[in-house]
Amino acid sequence: MEAVSWEQICLMQAAEKIMGLAAGIIIGSAQVIYLINTVMKKVRPSVLSWTGWAFLMGTSVVSQVVSKGWQWSMTGVLCSTVGCFTIGMVALATRNYSFERKDWQYVVWGALCVAIYLLSGNPWMTTIFAIFADGILAIPTVVKAWRDPLSERSLAWVLGVVSSTLALIICVGHDWIYVLFPAYLFVFNGAMAFLTRLPTRLPA
C-alpha cells in the first residue's frame, strides 16, 4: 500500500476544512433567514422547542469533542446548535415567541440528553440518544409534511441535505461516531425535501 505523503495529508485536511466551513455556512444561512424573519415578526418561534433542539445537538457535539476531538464534519451540527439557541433567545428578547405546554417535551428530552452525558460520559450513548430524541420530536413535522406538503415547503430542507452531504464526505476515513448525526440529518432533511414536493393530501 502506497504511503500517504505529508503534502497529501495537508491537502486532505485543507479540503476537509473547506467543506466543513461550507457545510456550516450553508446550514447557518437557513437559520439566519429564519432569525431575520423572527426579528421582523414574520414568524413566532417556540422558545422551548428551539432551546431543546440546541441542547440535544450541543450535548452531542460536546461529548464527541471531549472524547474524540474536533472534526470538521461537526461544523454543520455546531452551527445548527448555535443557530437554534440564538433563535430561541432572540425570540425571547423581542417578545415574539410562542409558548405552549406541549413544547416542554423539547426541554425534557434536552435535559435527559445532558443528564445521560454527565452520568455516563459516553459519546456514543449520548449521540444515539440525541438522534433518537430528535427523531421522536420530528414525527409531527414529518406527518404534517405528508398531509399538507405546502405548509412545510422550504429551501431549508434542501440546504440541510447539502450540508449533511458535505459532512458525510468529510467523515470518510474517520471514526464512525462522526457519521451518526450527519447521516440522520441527511435522511431527515432528504425525507422532508421529498415529502414537501408531493401533492397535498386530506387529513386522515
Side-chain angles (χ1 to χ4, degrees):
M1 184 176 179
E2 186 179 351
V4 179
S5 67
W6 175 249
E7 290 77 10
Q8 289 174 315
I9 293 176
C10 290
L11 285 173
M12 287 189 290
Q13 290 177 338
E16 289 180 359
K17 181 177 181 179
I18 292 171
M19 286 190 289
L21 291 173
I25 291 171
I26 289 170
I27 199 65
S29 63
Q31 293 186 314
V32 168
I33 293 172
Y34 194 92
L35 187 61
I36 292 173
N37 289 335
T38 299
V39 173
M40 296 179 67
K41 299 188 176 181
K42 292 182 178 180
V43 295
R44 295 181 68 226
S46 164
V47 173
L48 297 180
S49 60
W50 285 97
T51 303
W53 281 324
F55 274 103
L56 283 174
M57 291 185 289
T59 306
S60 175
V61 169
V62 169
S63 69
Q64 291 179 31
V65 171
V66 171
S67 300
K68 304 290 184 177
W70 171 257
Q71 220 276 335
W72 284 104
S73 62
M74 304 167 67
T75 309
V77 180
L78 177 60
C79 289
S80 292
T81 301
V82 174
C84 286
F85 186 76
T86 302
I87 288 170
M89 293 302 99
V90 169
L92 189 63
T94 58
R95 297 183 180 180
N96 176 41
Y97 59 88
S98 65
F99 191 94
E100 297 183 24
R101 184 178 300 178
K102 64 182 179 64
D103 291 336
W104 276 106
Q105 63 181 317
Y106 293 87
V107 177
V108 171
W109 284 107
L112 284 174
C113 190
V114 173
I116 286 174
Y117 174 61
L118 292 177
L119 293 173
S120 69
N122 188 313
W124 282 91
M125 187 182 300
T126 303
T127 301
I128 291 173
F129 178 83
I131 291 171
F132 170 77
D134 195 275
I136 292 295
L137 294 171
I139 290 176
T141 302
V142 175
V143 172
K144 186 180 178 184
W146 171 258
R147 294 176 177 174
D148 186 11
L150 190 60
S151 68
E152 291 294 330
R153 188 169 297 172
S154 171
L155 179 61
W157 306 122
V158 178
L159 295 176
V161 171
V162 176
S163 177
S164 53
T165 298
L166 290 173
L168 288 172
I169 293 173
I170 299 172
C171 288
V172 175
H174 295 282
D175 196 301
W176 277 96
I177 193 170
Y178 297 115
V179 177
L180 297 181
F181 233 112
Y184 162 71
L185 293 175
F186 177 84
V187 172
F188 174 66
N189 285 294
M192 289 298 295
F194 173 74
L195 290 174
T196 53
R197 293 298 182 277
L198 296 177
T200 300
R201 294 167 181 78
L202 292 175

